[in-house]
Amino acid sequence: MVDVDTVIDRYSEFAEAFPGARVQYAVKANPHPAVLRALVGAGAAFDVASPGEIDLCLKVGARPETLSYGNTIKKPADVAHAHAAGIREYTFDARCDLDNIARHAPGAQVSARLLLEGGPDSVTPFGDKFGCNVDDAVRLLVRAAETGLDPVGVSFHVGSQQLEPDAWDVAVASAAKVFSGTAEHGVTLRRLNIGGGFGISYIDTAPPMSAYADTVLSALHAHFPEPPELVCEPGRALVAEAGLIRGEVVVVSRKHPTDEHRWVYLDIGRYNGLAETENEAIAYRLVPVGEHSPEDGPVIIAGPTCDGDDVLYQRTPYRLPLSLRPGDRIDILSSGAYTASYSSVAFNGIEPLRTYCISEGRLISAE
Ligand SMILES: *Cc1c(COP(=O)(O)O)cnc(C)c1O
């Protein structure tokens, strides 16, 4: 269940924390049409990653000029589709992608995505998959100008569920080097996209939004002679706390009579929405529903499929009531981000996670 009003509250808080910034919701975090429609109504822009996400946003009423194609991995046909749909802003990190954009979206605004080195890791880091180094970013942005594109700036992403606001200070400093590097070649950049990554509280507590905003705004002040236009791309921070998944306990067992640990198997696991439990990265807060004994004990929590990797928590210490039985319900809190969108179509015949959107306490859509 997703409370769309909470999404809009988070969006408003975010827009207030970063005054003057363009807030682009990263659609992949929760692409439910009711969520997107509400964000369109609130004036949000969107970070899209594929023709499918573009079409979805346009269908719920977003204007093409509010969409930015942030995925650096796109086929020529994807760029052509985006261009035909009216998308005028793209991010790249490689020369072949840049050349595709020049060919299939002539004159478009382009930003270089920066590979971040030396900053703190997030809970679910991107590693070296995205971005190019400062020198390549400068070289490619200058090339962009030569091929008739409009080189607007730099983007980065410090890793999702980033609990260290200082990560943005390191990244903003690198971005400033790209700005001064292109200026030496007569190319003036104007826009800085500080990505997503803003954390929310699961079992571990995240810093408040104001801590992120303070760090970002003082980093801009420290590293830029003149502050650039600011773009933020929150995904998780807008939708996670709006969502709740109610799972059911299917089996409770012990592998040996003397084991203290019980195995608790739920009807939801890694493949039906809880993909972010991979490596136990995201540790959701789990709350048993209804009356239970005050005594609890350690548990290993697993999903329902016939896959050995479908174990949610084996190292993270979870405890559940000793009275827990098959048929009992368990609420998975703050689960509105990266759940329904990660749910497989029919692994082991289990249907994809259904989303029920509510607003003002009433159901507005079920899909
Ligand atoms: C996923 C993604 C985001 C959102 O990240 P969160 O950690 O959910 O805030 C923003 N920008 C890009 C390019 C992304 O791929």
Side-chain angles (χ1 to χ4, degrees):
M1 179 146 68
V2 173
D3 183 357
V4 170
D5 303 335
T6 303
V7 177
I8 299 309
D9 286 348
R10 293 293 173 275
Y11 170 77
S12 307
E13 277 169 32
F14 207 91
E16 255 169 58
F18 293 93
R22 183 166 68 170
V23 180
Q24 279 175 186
Y25 170 60
V27 171
K28 72 178 186 293
N30 189 322
H32 195 285
V35 169
L36 300 179
R37 207 172 285 125
L39 283 165
V40 170
F46 297 90
D47 166 50
V48 291
S50 66
E53 285 188 352
I54 290 170
D55 295 349
L56 191 57
C57 288
L58 296 178
K59 200 171 151 197
V60 298
R63 284 173 295 114
E65 58 272 28
T66 64
L67 270 50
S68 166
Y69 202 138
N71 191 353
T72 55
I73 306 159
K74 37 195 171 323
K75 299 174 182 175
D78 300 335
V79 178
H81 180 104
H83 181 67
I87 315 307
R88 295 292 174 261
E89 193 175 354
Y90 300 81
T91 304
F92 68 89
D93 65 5
R95 176 163 161 184
C96 57
D97 187 29
L98 180 65
D99 290 348
N100 275 334
I101 298 168
R103 194 167 317 120
H104 297 287
Q109 301 184 355
V110 289
S111 293
R113 175 143 171 194
L114 209 50
L115 174 66
L116 299 178
E117 291 160 311
D121 260 349
S122 73
V123 172
T124 57
F126 288 119
D128 289 345
K129 180 172 176 184
F130 298 105
C132 55
N133 64 42
V134 169
D135 292 343
D136 285 341
V138 170
R139 198 168 49 76
L140 292 170
L141 285 162
V142 171
R143 179 181 173 81
E146 290 163 2
T147 55
L149 291 165
D150 178 9
V152 288
V154 175
S155 81
F156 59 75
H157 194 306
V158 295
S160 199
Q161 183 68 0
Q162 176 56 266
L163 300 177
E164 286 288 343
D166 279 347
W168 276 268
D169 184 67
V170 177
V172 169
S174 300
K177 286 188 195 145
V178 180
F179 275 61
S180 56
T182 61
E184 283 172 22
H185 292 86
V187 173
T188 308
L189 302 178
R190 57 186 188 273
R191 190 173 304 159
L192 179 64
N193 180 335
I194 61 163
F198 310 93
I200 69 114
S201 293
Y202 294 103
I203 278 189
D204 293 327
T205 307
M209 187 53 62
S210 58
Y212 290 103
D214 288 349
T215 305
V216 168
L217 299 177
S218 47
L220 288 177
H221 190 71
H223 303 298
F224 279 86
E226 263 179 74
E229 294 168 24
L230 190 62
V231 179
C232 319
E233 278 177 353
R236 186 187 306 280
L238 299 194
V239 290
E241 290 166 336
L244 174 134
I245 296 172
R246 178 160 290 182
E248 182 177 328
V249 176
V250 183
V251 170
V252 182
S253 65
R254 288 177 213 268
K255 299 296 170 185
H256 298 282
T258 54
D259 279 355
E260 200 197 347
H261 278 85
R262 289 162 298 157
W263 281 73
V264 173
Y265 301 82
L266 304 178
D267 65 349
I268 178 168
R270 175 90 66 83
Y271 303 103
N272 357 86
L274 303 182
E276 287 203 299
T277 58
E278 186 176 0
N279 299 323
E280 311 198 14
I282 297 295
Y284 293 100
R285 279 189 288 149
L286 304 180
V287 179
V289 179
E291 295 287 309
H292 279 286
S293 60
E295 300 82 29
D296 61 13
V299 289
I300 294 166
I301 302 172
T305 65
C306 304
D307 182 302
D309 286 331
D310 189 10
V311 176
L312 306 179
Y313 303 114
Q314 202 152 15
R315 301 188 311 271
T316 314
Y318 274 89
R319 300 179 72 84
L320 286 171
L322 294 181
S323 58
L324 197 73
R325 296 286 177 268
D328 287 344
R329 305 297 165 104
I330 289 196
D331 282 347
I332 303 166
L333 305 191
S334 297
S335 50
Y338 302 115
T339 47
S341 55
Y342 262 136
S343 175
S344 68
V345 171
F347 186 48
N348 270 165
I350 296 170
E351 68 168 304
L353 193 62
R354 268 191 235 171
T355 302
Y356 299 85
C357 282
I358 58 167
S359 175
E360 294 173 354
R362 284 204 318 272
L363 190 64
I364 55 170
S365 85
E367 284 178 41

